[in-house]
Amino acid sequence: MRICLINPPFTDRFCRGARWQASSKGVALWMPIWLIYATGVLEKAGHTVRLIDSPARRHTRADLEREVREFNPEMLVLYTSTGSLHNDLEITGLLKQAHPAAVTVLTGPHVSVLPEATLRSCPAADFVVIREFDYVLRSLAGRRDAGAEP
């Protein structure tokens, strides 16, 4: 399965994976460690995976949409945070519209605390995965590959 893991664009130097989710006051950005872990788990399970770290690459929404379109994923995984949630859900909607057959999964601290509310506020999301999500994504992708319902 082709799986695209995304740290979406937001404001300049926005850190979702830092201890405090906000724009970095320094020049360093925290790498999206949870997405990196999940990428490794999914690759080891045999999936074709692309990790897009939009803040590090200074992506606009158009840059992200172009890269995702070129990859043509079967699963989209977006890491969200409370501070960027409105933006993250809008991007989820744009990507789902462009890739309606792709399974769309939201992860991150906000969805871990408010999974049902997040799903209700984002019709484009098929699933939310709470807390640590690397092995849950592996299981979900494996079940989808096997044609089973999650």
Side-chain angles (χ1 to χ4, degrees):
M1 172 176 278
R2 284 182 322 283
I3 305 169
C4 190
L5 295 103
I6 301 168
N7 186 16
F10 188 44
T11 59
D12 192 35
R13 298 183 325 273
F14 189 78
C15 291
R16 283 180 187 82
R19 190 169 185 178
W20 181 260
Q21 291 117 25
S23 290
S24 173
K25 302 228 185 297
V27 294
L29 282 173
W30 285 59
M31 65 182 127
I33 193 74
W34 303 112
L35 288 174
I36 293 168
Y37 289 149
T39 299
V41 167
L42 292 166
E43 285 179 342
K44 189 173 182 181
H47 300 287
T48 302
V49 184
R50 179 170 294 177
L51 170 59
I52 302 174
D53 186 6
S54 293
R57 297 172 72 185
R58 296 187 174 187
H59 269 171
T60 63
R61 286 183 180 191
D63 295 330
L64 174 63
E65 289 179 77
R66 183 176 45 257
E67 188 166 345
V68 172
R69 183 176 53 252
E70 290 170 2
F71 185 61
N72 193 27
E74 298 164 274
M75 180 182 289
L76 294 159
V77 179
L78 289 94
Y79 193 85
T80 67
S81 72
T82 301
S84 63
L85 188 67
H86 181 71
N87 171 79
D88 301 342
L89 300 185
E90 281 182 4
I91 289 174
T92 302
L94 293 170
L95 294 175
K96 184 67 168 187
Q97 186 176 2
H99 304 276
V103 175
T104 308
V105 183
L106 300 176
T107 64
H110 186 90
V111 303
S112 288
V113 175
L114 297 168
E116 295 90 1
T118 305
L119 275 173
R120 282 193 303 272
S121 64
C122 187
D126 297 309
F127 299 97
V128 297
V129 179
I130 62 173
R131 300 183 185 96
E132 295 182 16
F133 51 87
D134 40 12
Y135 291 101
V136 176
L137 291 175
R138 181 186 69 182
S139 178
L140 177 60
R143 292 183 60 79
R144 299 290 296 188
D145 271 349
E149 288 297 316

